[in-house]
Amino acid sequence: MKKKHKQEKKAKKEKKNKKGKDNGYSEDDLYLFESNEVHSASTPNIKNLPEEIVPLRPAQRTKSLDELREEAQEVTDIMMDNVVKIRDREGKLDDLCEKAESLNATTEMFQKTSVSIRRKQWLKNKKRTIMLIAAGVCCLIIITIVLMILFIP
């Protein structure tokens, strides 16, 4: 089905390339539209031409029933592909929403844990600093007592 769709797209592109940028008019038709007045780049001036000389515009050209069915089938295939893609995206979006919610909950938990750990470490560092100061003071007291005993007989 995809190969058929790609082949149809390729054929359609080739048709467009053959037409060129003349909005569906063939080169034989364009000589009829030459005029001194400037209207727009996309629409030639056909005011002064009799109706029997004016070619049909691309929208007015008749297409065979088979061509119309092929176009309708192509549009149907494209729409079905789009519906499948939308359903896939919807499922992926639901998964992403669930992951985002779980990440949000994990983030809040991580913040609370990190704050409590930071406080514990701060308290631990303060206790260590106090212990070191107390040990230093005790050492100074012991050293002064020993020096006093030695030098004071």
Side-chain angles (χ1 to χ4, degrees), residues 121-134:
Q121 288 298 322
W122 179 82
L123 186 61
K124 194 175 182 180
N125 287 337
K126 289 299 176 185
K127 285 180 182 178
R128 188 178 297 148
T129 304
I130 291 171
M131 296 276 280
L132 286 173
I133 291 172

Side-chain angles (χ1 to χ4, degrees), residues 56-141:
L56 294 174
R57 292 187 177 152
Q60 295 172 336
R61 292 184 181 162
T62 58
K63 294 183 179 181
S64 70
L65 188 58
D66 292 335
E67 289 175 346
L68 292 174
R69 283 184 181 152
E70 286 177 11
E71 284 183 23
Q73 184 62 39
E74 182 180 332
V75 170
T76 304
D77 292 342
I78 292 170
M79 292 305 296
M80 292 300 285
D81 289 342
N82 290 343
V83 168
V84 169
K85 288 177 184 177
I86 288 171
R87 286 182 183 166
D88 291 343
R89 287 180 187 157
E90 185 178 319
K92 290 177 183 178
L93 285 174
D94 290 341
D95 292 342
L96 285 175
C97 286
E98 289 174 9
K99 287 179 183 179
E101 289 173 2
S102 68
L103 282 174
N104 192 20
T106 305
T107 303
E108 290 175 5
M109 192 173 194
F110 177 78
Q111 282 180 330
K112 290 177 184 178
T113 306
S114 64
V115 167
S116 67
I117 289 173
R118 185 183 305 138
R119 287 180 183 159
K120 286 179 184 178
Q121 288 298 322
W122 179 82
L123 186 61
K124 194 175 182 180
N125 287 337
K126 289 299 176 185
K127 285 180 182 178
R128 188 178 297 148
T129 304
I130 291 171
M131 296 276 280
L132 286 173
I133 291 172
V137 169
C138 288
C139 287
L140 282 175
I141 292 174

